[in-house]
């Protein structure tokens, strides 16, 4: 069992920044990767960024490249998403996921556990 708690969402103007955190607890030793997904109204949950836990390899969606940075702190089992140059189209509920087994990190099906989500709203 892994529990995930997200924080850091909020309202920001276009061009601004937000930093999201996802704290993992429980059987974190079994975690292969953690990722951030987002879901906007009327849309499916989409991949944003992922990090493989042990060595920190990162993967980004095209929409996030150059603007977002995913990182992790192994000691406290926390993953972060630094979001810069935010755009109104980034508005969504952002979810943190943890994957126990190997799989494609860009696929939501790979992830076993999910947080409750944190709302990010970017105004124009």
């Amino acid at each position: 069992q892994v529990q995930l708690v997200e924080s850091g969402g909020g309202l920001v103007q276009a061009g601004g920044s937000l930093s999201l955190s996802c704290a993992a607890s429980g059987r974190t030793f079994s975690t292969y990767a953690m990722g951030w997904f987002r879901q906007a109204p009327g849309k499916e949950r989409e991949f944003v960024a992922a990090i493989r836990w042990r060595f920190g390899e990162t993967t980004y969606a095209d929409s996030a490249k150059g603007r977002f940075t995913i990182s992790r702190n192994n000691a406290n089992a926390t993953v972060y998403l630094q979001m810069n140059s935010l755009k109104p189209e980034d508005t969504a509920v952002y979810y943190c996921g943890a994957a126990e087994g190997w799989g494609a990190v860009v696929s939501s099906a790979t992830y076993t556990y999910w947080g409750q989500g944190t709302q990010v709203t970017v105004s124009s």
Side-chain angles (χ1 to χ4, degrees):
Q1 285 277 349
V2 174
Q3 295 79 45
L4 305 174
V5 179
E6 299 128 323
S7 61
L11 175 65
V12 66
Q13 293 185 74
S17 299
L18 283 174
S19 182
L20 307 183
S21 298
C22 176
S25 61
R27 293 169 53 87
T28 57
F29 246 60
S30 66
T31 300
Y32 161 70
M34 294 181 69
W36 289 97
F37 288 72
R38 66 189 184 188
Q39 189 165 20
K43 294 189 175 183
E44 297 297 313
R45 189 170 297 189
E46 67 172 340
F47 172 75
V48 178
I51 186 164
R52 294 176 179 83
W53 197 253
R54 185 175 182 183
F55 296 111
E57 300 96 331
T58 59
T59 304
Y60 294 95
D62 287 343
S63 61
K65 290 177 181 176
R67 299 189 299 128
F68 295 0
T69 303
I70 188 170
S71 61
R72 93 283 195 220
N73 185 316
N74 288 358
N76 63 11
T78 301
V79 65
Y80 307 91
L81 185 68
Q82 177 65 47
M83 304 187 293
N84 299 322
S85 302
L86 284 162
K87 306 173 181 178
E89 51 263 45
D90 294 318
T91 296
V93 177
Y94 283 69
Y95 296 91
C96 176
E100 288 190 320
W102 184 93
V105 297
V106 301
S107 173
S108 62
T110 300
Y111 297 83
T112 305
Y113 305 100
W114 295 94
Q116 295 299 308
T118 184
Q119 177 71 50
V120 172
T121 303
V122 184
S123 62
S124 58

